[in-house]
Amino acid sequence: MREIVHLVHTSLDGCVEGPDGEFDWPVMGPELSAYSQELSARAGEFAYGRKVWDMMSAYWPNAESISDHPHDIAFAPVWRETPKVVFSRTLEKADWNTRVFGGDLSEAVASLKAEAGGNLLLMGGAELAAALTARGLIDEYQVVVHPVVLGGGKRPFAEGTARLGLELVESRTFDGQAVLLRFRRA
């Protein structure tokens, strides 16, 4: 059975974006980029909510013409080729080898987890992550803490998220600055 792995980048003060919605602060050094590539290669599908899908589908199809960062150059073809799933009540169809699920979230996830293949890799998406967490559907959390304080902004879990016991299964430092914390449900 497939699992859902949630990978999220946060600031030291626990924000996934700054007060004005900015996401220009995560630094993808060579080691973190290599880890991201390895994690992506093991994924059977990338999973997104509507907002993150809109951002990803606007950037990654043409990333090589927008950026010359080594991470972007390496990840763009992986993004285009990897199957994707978007959970949305408003999106009806999507390009780039993408399925859209708009019905009951728990039923959709149960169906996806029962399929053969690699895990579902949820990258970002605070609202979707909160909804999945509330239903007990995320199997592993991978939090990458970056050395920046944003002073406010969106957090990875919605206010009022129920307490959740987790077990630390790995911690690791990348590029002498970012720290990965891998947690599984306790």
Side-chain angles (χ1 to χ4, degrees), residues 63-136:
E64 297 96 326
S65 66
I66 301 168
S67 171
D68 61 356
H69 191 281
H71 174 77
D72 293 358
I73 301 299
F75 183 69
V78 172
W79 186 90
R80 288 189 295 265
E81 294 166 13
T82 302
K84 292 162 273 299
V85 59
V86 177
F87 298 95
S88 173
R89 289 181 291 261
T90 57
L91 186 66
E92 293 181 17
K93 67 181 188 93
D95 295 329
W96 299 104
N97 195 17
T98 304
R99 300 186 284 171
V100 178
F101 287 85
D104 180 84
L105 184 59
S106 295
E107 288 177 15
V109 170
S111 170
L112 287 164
K113 283 186 168 189
E115 292 177 3
N119 290 336
L120 294 145
L121 180 58
L122 171 64
M123 294 182 274
E127 288 86 6
L128 178 57
L132 292 169
T133 295
R135 291 167 176 80

Side-chain angles (χ1 to χ4, degrees), residues 1-185:
M1 177 172 260
R2 302 197 304 171
E3 295 187 340
I4 294 182
V5 176
H6 179 217
L7 173 68
V8 63
H9 295 268
T10 70
S11 62
L12 183 59
D13 56 341
C15 298
V16 295
E17 60 183 42
D20 297 319
E22 63 271 23
F23 191 69
D24 58 351
W25 46 270
V27 176
M28 294 300 289
E31 293 173 357
L32 181 54
S33 182
Y35 178 77
S36 175
Q37 294 289 339
E38 174 187 315
L39 188 62
S40 296
R42 289 194 317 259
E45 265 181 303
F46 296 150
Y48 303 106
R50 172 66 185 262
K51 292 177 185 174
V52 174
W53 166 253
D54 287 344
M55 180 183 70
M56 299 295 270
S57 65
Y59 184 77
W60 289 110
N62 302 306
E64 297 96 326
S65 66
I66 301 168
S67 171
D68 61 356
H69 191 281
H71 174 77
D72 293 358
I73 301 299
F75 183 69
V78 172
W79 186 90
R80 288 189 295 265
E81 294 166 13
T82 302
K84 292 162 273 299
V85 59
V86 177
F87 298 95
S88 173
R89 289 181 291 261
T90 57
L91 186 66
E92 293 181 17
K93 67 181 188 93
D95 295 329
W96 299 104
N97 195 17
T98 304
R99 300 186 284 171
V100 178
F101 287 85
D104 180 84
L105 184 59
S106 295
E107 288 177 15
V109 170
S111 170
L112 287 164
K113 283 186 168 189
E115 292 177 3
N119 290 336
L120 294 145
L121 180 58
L122 171 64
M123 294 182 274
E127 288 86 6
L128 178 57
L132 292 169
T133 295
R135 291 167 176 80
L137 298 172
I138 295 180
D139 302 287
E140 182 173 308
Y141 297 88
Q142 295 198 16
V143 181
V144 179
V145 182
H146 291 267
V148 61
V149 174
L150 297 175
K154 188 181 288 182
R155 304 220 176 264
F157 301 101
E159 190 87 18
T161 298
R163 185 177 187 155
L164 177 63
L166 300 171
E167 176 186 352
L168 179 67
V169 294
E170 181 184 9
S171 63
R172 201 164 156 190
T173 302
F174 295 106
D175 306 301
Q177 61 183 355
V179 177
L180 168 70
L181 301 170
R182 278 187 56 222
F183 297 97
R184 303 237 356 131
R185 295 176 60 85

